[in-house]
């Protein structure tokens, strides 16, 4: 999906199984240290539908202390949110010191879904890149640890996973007509995602790209 993106960093399951306990312990230690130092943490999990965002969010809550983690997903705007600056809905849900907030849907919707689906004007989404960078700079300068992960899959792999969901009763609910419709705009989303990584991966808030 990304231009000139080299993926292929894989870990054999046997290797992962050997490292799993150590990784869990390291994450739990890091979480305790952040709580002791009163550091707020924001984790943004993004990617195409079917990439594995939900599985990653679940793993975060499973491996770490879920009592101090909040997971948020933003969908339609409320009337109150519509009447305020667009970033307000995110400002008001930022974590306090020692807490972790995982954004399954975040402010990047302005330059992705809202851009492609015409929910934001061209002027609004083009202006949003600088607004996002300023927003994230304020967060990191105030002591927030901000981590942004994009999970990458190919169009063919997404199709395979969609078909698998269709045939799996306990996963079928995850697949909607909108998901199939969005595949028709894959190239538009691809271009928008490249813009996001190119224009909002900054020194203080870089994107980490993960092969899904």
């Amino acid at each position: 999906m990304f231009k000139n993106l080299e993926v292929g960093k894989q870990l054999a399951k046997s290797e992962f199984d050997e490292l799993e306990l150590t990784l869990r312990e390291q994450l739990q230690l890091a979480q305790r240290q952040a709580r002791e130092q009163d550091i707020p943490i924001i984790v943004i999990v993004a990617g195409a539908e079917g990439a594995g965002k939900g599985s990653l969010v679940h793993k975060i809550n499973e491996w770490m202390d879920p009592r101090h983690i909040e997971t948020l997903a933003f969908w339609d705007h409320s009337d109150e949110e519509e009447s305020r600056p667009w970033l307000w809905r995110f400002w008001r849900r930022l974590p306090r010191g020692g807490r972790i907030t995982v954004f399954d849907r975040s402010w990047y919707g302005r330059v992705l879904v809202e851009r492609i689906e015409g929910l934001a004007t061209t002027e609004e989404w083009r202006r949003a890149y600088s607004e996002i960078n300023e927003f994230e700079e304020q967060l990191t300068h105030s002591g927030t640890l901000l981590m942004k992960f994009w999970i990458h899959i190919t169009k063919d792999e997404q199709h395979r996973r969609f078909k698998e969901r269709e045939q799996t009763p306990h996963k079928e609910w995850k697949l909607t007509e909108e998901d199939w419709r969005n595949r028709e705009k894959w190239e538009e989303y691809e271009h928008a995602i490249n813009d996001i990584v190119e224009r909002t991966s900054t020194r203080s808030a870089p994107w980490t790209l993960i092969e899904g």
Side-chain angles (χ1 to χ4, degrees):
M1 180 173 287
F2 299 103
K3 298 174 184 175
N4 303 318
L5 172 63
E6 293 185 6
V7 295
K9 294 182 178 179
Q10 299 180 352
L11 188 67
K13 188 177 186 307
S14 58
E15 294 179 79
F16 174 78
D17 290 342
E18 292 179 7
L19 291 171
E20 181 176 359
L21 181 59
T22 300
L23 293 173
R24 293 183 70 155
E25 291 174 346
Q26 291 176 344
L27 278 175
Q28 291 169 8
L29 175 60
Q31 184 181 19
R32 287 198 299 271
Q33 291 175 335
R35 288 191 60 211
E36 292 169 357
Q37 298 176 42
D38 214 31
I39 299 173
I41 298 175
I42 294 174
V43 180
I44 293 178
V45 179
E49 189 62 36
K53 300 186 296 296
S55 297
L56 177 55
V57 172
H58 175 75
K59 190 67 69 177
I60 291 172
N61 282 277
E62 178 187 358
W63 281 20
M64 305 173 77
D65 187 344
R67 295 174 298 173
H68 308 289
I69 301 174
E70 181 180 24
T71 301
L72 301 175
F74 290 85
W75 301 92
D76 295 336
H77 294 73
S78 67
D79 292 340
E80 183 181 23
E81 290 168 344
E82 288 284 4
S83 67
R84 298 179 183 273
W86 72 278
L87 283 168
W88 177 82
R89 68 196 306 228
F90 306 107
W91 268 115
R92 63 197 294 265
R93 302 299 300 274
L94 297 177
R96 63 181 186 272
R99 299 276 300 180
I100 299 173
T101 296
V102 180
F103 285 89
D104 191 4
R105 298 287 191 279
S106 72
W107 43 90
Y108 283 96
R110 173 56 60 104
V111 288
L112 191 59
V113 175
E114 293 182 32
R115 166 183 170 174
I116 302 302
E117 303 300 330
L119 302 176
T121 67
T122 300
E123 180 183 358
E124 286 173 335
W125 65 257
R126 284 182 174 172
R127 187 177 64 239
Y129 296 110
S130 59
E131 293 172 335
I132 288 171
N133 287 337
E134 291 169 3
F135 175 47
E136 294 181 347
E137 185 176 22
Q138 291 178 53
L139 291 174
T140 56
H141 282 186
S142 67
T144 296
L145 176 59
L146 174 59
M147 293 175 281
K148 306 186 299 190
F149 299 96
W150 182 275
I151 307 176
H152 167 71
I153 57 173
T154 65
K155 188 176 182 179
D156 289 343
E157 175 62 17
Q158 185 191 60
H159 184 266
R160 187 191 69 78
R161 295 186 185 187
F162 278 10
K163 298 302 289 185
E164 184 181 77
R165 283 183 179 182
E166 278 188 329
Q167 299 165 13
T168 308
H170 69 274
K171 292 183 178 181
E172 188 178 7
W173 64 271
K174 295 182 177 182
L175 191 62
T176 67
E177 288 299 323
E178 184 177 351
D179 294 329
W180 286 111
R181 181 181 61 82
N182 288 344
R183 280 180 54 80
E184 299 175 4
K185 299 182 179 181
W186 181 272
E187 286 71 25
E188 292 180 65
Y189 276 97
E190 182 178 68
H191 183 68
I193 293 162
N194 276 299
D195 284 346
I196 286 173
V197 174
E198 181 178 353
R199 302 181 67 174
T200 65
S201 191
T202 62
R203 186 171 184 178
S204 59
W207 278 99
T208 298
L209 309 180
I210 302 172
E211 182 177 9

